Amino acid sequence: MPKTASACAIVAAAFLSCIGMASPTVGDARRTAGLVEDGQRQRLLASFGERAGAMPVAYTPVAAGGSARPIAGWIRFCRTYLDECRIDPAERDTIRLTPALWRAINEVNSAVNAAIRPLTDVEHWGELDRWDLAEDGTGDCEDYQLLKRRKLAMMGIPRRAMVMTVVLDEKNDGHAVLMLRTDRGDLILDNKRDEILSWHRTGYVYVKRESQTDASWVSLNHVSGVGSTASR
């Protein structure tokens, strides 16, 4: 093995040990170095960064397409909570992440996930899909994300950079997440996990999200037909 590859293997082995993974063997370290040399550096660094609580690795944002029909629950929500849905074109549409801001966002995400008791809208309200701010401490996916967005906006993060997004989850069900648009790409706040991931690492199919210019929604991945987010 060349000296450079050997050094890389040693560093990778030490790093794996520091972040709490199983004690690596020399063979493990060599394989890790090989991954780096094989062009998978970005994916490996992203995994290391998330395990270590570091800033997320930059990645290309989600590509948006044409217009999309808003979720019916969103339309009703905006009639009730007008200020939550207003678009201010003077606000930034992306934010610059700093270590302090990244820590604060993670704290809000985890705190809201822990504070709300999961309950479907059918169980809660007798309705298929109702969007609100979980004011009674219970709710499903969109309620978690709407409350996170309110709390983050109160911290000074521009609402325009935080867009409600509809995806298909691991069960192929409609699911709502909060997409935070940053200088490091689109990051996903989710009630299914406390870890905030770059959009491409969630395993979701991205359907549509709020527009950042007006009250409409925009299509993602040319997927259609999702009219509700009824999962917890």
Side-chain angles (χ1 to χ4, degrees):
M1 176 186 296
K3 288 184 178 180
T4 54
S6 178
C8 184
I10 292 169
V11 171
F15 193 77
L16 285 167
S17 179
C18 286
I19 62 177
M21 294 178 68
S23 299
T25 64
V26 172
D28 292 333
R30 286 173 177 163
R31 282 191 291 274
T32 302
L35 288 175
V36 174
E37 293 169 352
D38 287 342
Q40 298 186 28
R41 183 184 300 273
Q42 184 178 25
R43 198 173 303 167
L44 187 61
L45 288 174
S47 176
F48 283 171
E50 286 160 4
R51 286 176 180 271
M55 295 272 283
V57 174
Y59 196 83
T60 307
V62 181
S67 62
R69 180 178 298 177
I71 295 286
W74 167 259
I75 295 172
R76 290 192 295 270
F77 172 80
C78 290
R79 290 172 182 159
T80 304
Y81 300 94
L82 295 176
D83 289 342
E84 297 290 328
C85 302
R86 286 197 175 99
I87 301 293
D88 182 358
E91 285 187 331
R92 294 181 61 87
D93 59 3
T94 59
I95 62 169
R96 185 176 69 84
L97 279 185
T98 65
L101 183 57
W102 177 237
R103 285 193 298 272
I105 292 167
N106 274 274
E107 288 170 3
V108 168
N109 186 59
S110 296
V112 171
N113 283 352
I116 296 177
R117 182 170 66 92
L119 198 67
T120 67
D121 288 330
V122 172
E123 296 167 319
H124 194 181
W125 305 109
E127 301 178 25
L128 177 62
D129 195 28
R130 172 170 165 171
W131 291 39
D132 62 25
L133 291 164
E135 291 169 325
D136 63 355
T138 59
D140 63 357
C141 55
E142 68 276 353
D143 308 324
Y144 285 82
Q145 321 320 335
L146 289 166
L147 182 56
K148 291 172 192 177
R149 189 171 75 156
R150 169 178 273 191
K151 289 182 176 294
L152 292 170
M154 291 172 65
M155 288 170 42
I157 296 178
R159 197 181 305 277
R160 191 178 177 211
M162 299 182 287
V163 291
M164 292 296 294
T165 303
V166 174
V167 302
L168 293 176
D169 67 10
E170 68 282 355
K171 297 179 181 178
N172 211 36
D173 291 332
H175 178 59
V177 297
L178 181 62
M179 180 183 291
L180 185 61
R181 311 213 74 192
T182 81
D183 59 345
R184 292 172 176 261
D186 295 331
L187 306 176
I188 302 301
L189 282 67
D190 196 353
N191 59 297
K192 290 178 179 282
R193 60 174 69 89
D194 286 340
E195 189 176 25
I196 299 175
L197 299 178
S198 178
W199 69 273
H200 71 291
R201 302 195 67 241
T202 62
Y204 295 152
V205 175
Y206 287 78
V207 180
K208 53 189 172 183
R209 64 163 173 80
E210 290 178 75
S211 169
Q212 293 179 284
T213 58
D214 54 39
S216 65
W217 280 50
V218 297
S219 175
L220 307 172
N221 277 338
H222 309 290
V223 177
S224 61
V226 180
S228 66
T229 54
S231 70
R232 292 186 183 182

